[in-house]
């Protein structure tokens, strides 16, 4: 079986032989794409000439995972090109007119140090050790959230400055991804069958002071910590300042500031390495919300440590 580097070279040299007939006239490029917390090798096809016909993309990294499962180079490439063909058709049909973008620009928070390359080409603003970035929501429904990161070029095409993007995204995100708060006890009740719930000690229900802050769709929900009014309401209900524990880019856990923040940071570091996929990690740090000053600050953590790169996993030098 080929290693990733050899597989990538084979794809670059042979992919045109597997390309569907109707796509052979399209411009094919091999390039690296900066995603949140990672950089991937991509095959892209460009087509059309209008603003709404940019192109479509698949990732050699995903293609390699298919190859490792099936052991057949041709099958892995063909399956991925089928996805690329479907992506081309989807982009042509579904990409909305840019005039609708202002109503669908939303924000996301990501780790600053982990995403230096990505941040270099997109509008963003710093928030502690994190950065706020912007996404153009193309389609939001029960099947998920189709979107694209707002690059410097796209922002220019839209005629929007970073400040304008921020103001739009702050309101749109709260409207489209309404913040939600739920106790960990209630989440456990929803997840576990009744016979298992009966085995949990009563102390858990009485002493539970962990609350999950996300949004009603559970997508990029950690951005809810940007809404000070939400944090203030939680702090008021609990009668204490808060520690904010980053669970992933999709949610954070809030708790009264009664525990040792350094112990919490050690726990976050371990959980990030053992249970959270790299692409979903937010930070190794713990934050504190002060209900008197209405400010979020770093409470404890290791700001000089990265979240680990995917270089070894994917065979990529980043």
């Amino acid at each position: 079986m080929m290693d990733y580097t050899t597989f990538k070279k084979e794809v670059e040299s042979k992919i045109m032989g597997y390309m569907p007939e109707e796509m052979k006239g399209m411009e094919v490029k091999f390039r690296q794409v900066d995603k949140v917390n990672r950089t991937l090798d991509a095959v892209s096809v460009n087509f059309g000439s209008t603003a709404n016909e940019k192109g479509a993309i698949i990732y050699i990294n995903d293609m390699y995972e298919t190859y490792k499962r099936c052991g057949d180079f041709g099958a892995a490439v063909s399956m991925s090109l089928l996805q690329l063909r479907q992506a081309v058709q989807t982009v042509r049909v579904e990409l909305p007119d840019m005039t609708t973008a202002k109503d669908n620009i939303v924000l996301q928070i990501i780790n600053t140090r982990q995403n230096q390359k990505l941040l270099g080409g997109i509008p963003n603003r710093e928030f502690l050790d994190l950065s706020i970035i912007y996404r153009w929501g193309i389609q939001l429904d029960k099947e998920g959230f189709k979107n694209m990161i707002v690059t410097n070029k796209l922002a220019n095409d839209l005629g929007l400055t970073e400040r304008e993007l921020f103001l739009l995204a702050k309101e749109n995100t709260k409207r489209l991804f309404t913040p939600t708060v739920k106790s960990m006890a209630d989440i456990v009740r929803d997840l576990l069958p009744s016979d298992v719930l009966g085995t949990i000690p009563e102390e858990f229900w009485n002493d539970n002071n962990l609350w999950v802050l996300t949004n009603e769709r559970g997508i990029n929900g950690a951005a809810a910590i940007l809404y000070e009014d939400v944090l203030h309401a939680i702090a008021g209900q609990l009668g204490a300042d808060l520690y904010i524990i980053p669970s992933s880019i999709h949610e954070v856990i809030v708790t009264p500031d009664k525990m040792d923040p350094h112990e919490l940071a050690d726990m976050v570091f371990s959980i990030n390495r053992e249970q959270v996929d790299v692409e979903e990690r937010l930070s190794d740090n713990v934050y504190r919300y002060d209900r008197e000053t209405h400010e979020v600050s770093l409470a404890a953590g290791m700001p000089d440590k990265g979240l680990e790169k995917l270089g070894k996993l994917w065979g990529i030098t980043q």
Side-chain angles (χ1 to χ4, degrees):
M1 179 170 286
M2 291 180 278
D3 61 21
Y4 179 78
T5 301
T6 304
F7 179 84
K8 177 185 171 184
K9 291 179 180 178
E10 286 289 292
V11 170
E12 292 174 349
S13 65
K14 297 181 179 179
I15 194 169
M16 292 307 298
Y18 294 90
M19 194 70 69
E21 194 64 35
E22 70 271 23
M23 294 174 59
K24 287 186 176 180
M26 297 178 183
E27 181 184 13
V28 177
K29 292 183 178 181
F30 300 95
R31 57 192 177 94
Q32 287 195 321
V33 175
D34 295 319
K35 308 282 282 184
V36 172
N37 290 346
R38 55 184 177 157
T39 299
L40 301 180
D41 291 315
V43 181
S44 64
V45 293
N46 297 331
F47 53 89
S49 57
T50 69
N52 281 352
E53 290 190 322
K54 298 291 187 180
I57 193 169
I58 54 172
Y59 298 103
I60 298 176
N61 314 84
D62 296 335
M63 200 182 301
Y64 184 62
E65 293 300 310
T66 302
Y67 165 71
K68 287 196 299 184
R69 290 193 297 270
C70 71
D72 187 319
F73 176 83
V77 174
S78 296
M79 289 172 64
S80 294
L81 288 179
L82 177 60
Q83 295 173 353
L84 183 61
R85 181 183 181 187
Q86 293 171 339
V88 168
Q89 295 170 344
T90 298
V91 170
R92 280 177 163 161
V93 171
E94 295 184 0
L95 194 60
D97 189 274
M98 283 191 174
T99 58
T100 68
K102 290 185 178 181
D103 296 327
N104 297 288
I105 298 293
V106 296
L107 54 78
Q108 177 187 4
I109 55 174
I110 63 174
N111 186 276
T112 298
R113 177 167 177 164
Q114 190 72 18
N115 292 283
Q116 287 298 301
K117 287 180 65 180
L118 174 66
L119 293 170
I122 64 176
N124 66 89
R125 63 172 56 196
E126 291 186 358
F127 177 72
L128 301 174
D129 65 321
L130 308 173
S131 290
I132 299 170
I133 67 172
Y134 309 101
R135 291 181 176 273
W136 177 14
I138 297 169
Q139 184 175 338
L140 179 63
D141 54 31
K142 62 182 180 181
E143 295 181 0
F145 180 45
K146 296 179 181 178
N147 67 90
M148 62 176 65
I149 290 178
V150 177
T151 62
N152 290 337
K153 182 182 183 305
L154 179 54
N156 184 65
D157 290 344
L158 294 171
L160 296 172
T161 65
E162 189 280 329
R163 182 175 183 276
E164 290 169 333
L165 286 167
F166 176 74
L167 294 176
L168 286 169
K170 187 176 180 182
E171 297 304 316
N172 290 340
T173 306
K174 203 169 187 178
R175 172 174 54 84
L176 297 172
F177 296 88
T178 305
T180 61
V181 184
K182 198 171 187 179
S183 74
M184 189 68 75
D186 285 341
I187 291 175
V188 170
R189 286 191 182 95
D190 291 341
L191 291 176
L192 298 181
S194 57
D195 57 333
V196 176
L197 290 174
T199 66
I200 298 177
E202 189 67 26
E203 291 79 7
F204 172 81
W205 310 109
N206 296 333
D207 299 335
N208 189 287
N209 274 320
L210 299 178
W211 297 75
V212 176
L213 174 59
T214 180
N215 59 53
E216 61 184 11
R217 298 181 185 273
I219 301 172
N220 296 330
I225 69 172
L226 298 174
Y227 296 101
E228 190 275 329
D229 59 328
V230 175
L231 295 176
H232 194 71
I234 300 172
Q237 182 175 348
L238 298 180
D241 295 338
L242 305 174
Y243 284 137
I244 302 170
I245 304 166
S247 177
S248 73
I249 60 174
H250 300 301
E251 63 186 22
V252 298
I253 297 171
V254 294
T255 187
D257 63 340
K258 308 300 182 184
M259 300 176 65
D260 183 338
H262 300 285
E263 292 182 2
L264 290 176
D266 289 342
M267 178 187 70
V268 171
F269 183 87
S270 297
I271 291 175
N272 269 340
R273 300 311 180 282
E274 297 169 5
Q275 300 181 29
V276 185
D277 292 338
V278 173
E279 59 267 29
E280 295 195 344
R281 294 177 192 170
L282 180 61
S283 175
D284 287 332
N285 295 315
V286 173
Y287 308 92
R288 185 175 185 273
Y289 173 72
D290 188 311
R291 56 182 170 154
E292 290 189 5
T293 65
H294 302 263
E295 292 180 347
V296 177
S297 60
L298 282 172
M302 293 164 279
D304 293 330
K305 288 184 177 290
L307 295 174
E308 296 181 354
K309 296 184 181 297
L310 283 173
K312 291 185 179 180
L313 175 62
W314 292 114
I316 301 171
T317 300
Q318 298 188 45

